[in-house]
């Protein structure tokens, strides 16, 4: 365990195999981005469940790796120059894994930056806005029962963002192109959040997701990939 012993988080979640990537996560839209990517890339990893029910994310050990107390986070014992590296923020982790392996991101500079721009679109727009919609529509519905403004505001923004995706996907199978090889970290960043609108928030009808036919077909296409099917369940419940 010498490669990871300098990371206090390993005291709370001791690695069984300290030679593989350590993933600290939950199967949420942000969390499954990384498990799906790891499965797609066939990188060996060990998943540790960070329980929000017991405030694991607020523990000193977890905060030592991610001071922002959010999942996911990773430690790669074989980082740059074979030096262990710890990372948080799902977008940064996706980019790191893609560049580590040379996969799930185009090699040409223009394609690379175009992919990154769509990852940033998810990080800056889709994630925060979809999350706010889900909060008010499902989890805080009782608190805004007499005030439709929050749900309507975020519903409108969610549909606007879905419209952006619909335009992008109207003539392509994946964010970065038509064929199977075009699948990228842009897809992995985005589709779990769109999937979560129905699977997590039960909001398919109120959002009229059937309006976005290209988006719906893309989500199904991405969700059916074997790596996605496996990644949706990581980390498993204890």
């Amino acid at each position: 365990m010498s490669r990871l012993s300098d990371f206090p988080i390993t005291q709370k979640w001791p690695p069984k195999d300290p030679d593989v990537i350590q993933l600290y996560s939950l199967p949420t839209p942000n969390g499954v981005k990384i498990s799906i990517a790891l499965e797609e890339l066939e990188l060996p990893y060990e998943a540790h469940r960070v329980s929000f029910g017991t405030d694991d994310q607020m523990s000193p050990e977890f905060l030592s790796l991610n001071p922002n107390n959010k999942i996911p986070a990773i430690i790669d014992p074989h980082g740059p120059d074979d030096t262990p590296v710890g990372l948080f923020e799902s977008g940064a982790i996706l980019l790191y894994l893609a560049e580590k392996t040379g996969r799930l991101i185009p090699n040409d500079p223009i394609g690379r930056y175009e992919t990154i721009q769509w990852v940033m679109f998810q990080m800056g727009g889709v994630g925060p806005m979809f999350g706010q919609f889900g909060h008010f529509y499902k989890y805080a519905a009782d608190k805004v029962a007499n005030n439709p403004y929050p749900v309507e505001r975020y519903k409108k923004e969610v549909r606007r963002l879905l419209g952006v995706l619909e335009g992008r996907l109207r003539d392509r199978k994946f964010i970065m192109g038509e064929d199977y090889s075009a699948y990228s970290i842009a897809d992995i960043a985005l589709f779990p959040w769109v999937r979560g609108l129905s699977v997590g928030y039960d909001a398919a009808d109120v959002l009229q997701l059937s309006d976005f036919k290209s988006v719906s077909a893309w989500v199904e296409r991405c969700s059916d990939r074997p790596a996605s099917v496996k990644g949706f369940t990581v980390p498993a419940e204890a």
Side-chain angles (χ1 to χ4, degrees):
M1 192 170 144
S2 59
R3 296 190 65 84
L4 300 182
S5 60
D6 289 338
F7 292 87
I9 195 169
T10 61
Q11 298 169 17
K12 187 174 179 65
W13 290 278
K16 294 178 181 177
D17 184 352
D19 202 44
V20 304
I21 290 172
Q22 305 294 306
L23 169 66
Y24 307 91
S25 192
L26 278 175
T28 67
N30 273 337
V32 300
K33 294 180 201 173
I34 308 308
S35 52
I36 289 171
L38 288 166
E39 292 290 333
E40 285 282 352
L41 294 167
E42 300 179 296
L43 287 169
Y45 70 98
E46 184 178 336
H48 305 278
R49 191 176 182 90
V50 180
S51 173
F52 289 176
T54 54
D55 287 335
D56 281 349
Q57 77 279 14
M58 301 303 296
S59 65
E61 293 88 352
F62 187 80
L63 291 171
S64 70
L65 181 58
N66 183 359
N68 196 35
N69 64 273
K70 306 291 184 184
I71 59 95
I74 68 165
I75 302 173
D76 183 0
H78 299 287
D81 300 321
D82 205 35
T83 301
V85 60
L87 294 170
F88 63 92
E89 285 295 336
S90 57
I93 298 170
L94 284 176
L95 184 57
Y96 170 77
L97 294 175
E99 294 190 335
K100 174 184 175 74
T101 58
R103 294 171 57 195
L104 296 178
I105 193 168
N107 290 322
D108 67 282
I110 292 176
R112 178 177 179 275
Y113 282 112
E114 192 174 350
T115 304
I116 292 171
Q117 90 178 344
W118 284 101
V119 174
M120 296 301 107
F121 170 75
Q122 185 277 306
M123 300 294 291
V126 166
M129 295 299 102
F130 285 25
Q132 290 295 325
F133 168 79
H135 173 76
F136 288 110
Y137 175 72
K138 182 171 183 177
Y139 300 113
D142 59 325
K143 295 179 174 60
V144 295
N146 298 317
N147 181 9
Y149 175 76
V151 171
E152 289 303 313
R153 180 191 191 285
Y154 290 111
K155 173 185 171 182
K156 182 178 180 180
E157 181 64 3
V158 166
R159 285 183 55 84
R160 186 190 71 79
L161 292 166
L162 288 170
V164 174
L165 284 173
E166 183 73 11
R168 177 68 176 182
L169 291 162
R170 192 164 288 132
D171 60 351
R172 60 185 69 209
K173 283 188 170 66
F174 300 110
I175 296 293
M176 289 304 298
E178 176 62 24
D179 60 31
Y180 188 83
S181 65
Y183 187 72
S184 72
I185 57 172
D187 300 285
I188 295 173
L190 283 158
F191 92 84
W193 276 100
V194 182
R195 176 179 178 267
L197 294 174
S198 53
V199 174
Y201 299 152
D202 302 313
D205 290 338
V206 72
L207 289 169
Q208 298 175 289
L209 295 184
S210 59
D211 290 348
F212 306 98
K213 299 188 186 314
S214 298
V215 170
S216 297
W218 163 75
V219 170
E220 185 174 351
R221 195 177 299 125
C222 294
S223 298
D224 286 345
R225 294 171 72 93
S228 299
V229 174
K230 174 67 184 298
F232 290 146
T233 66
V234 175
E237 290 190 33

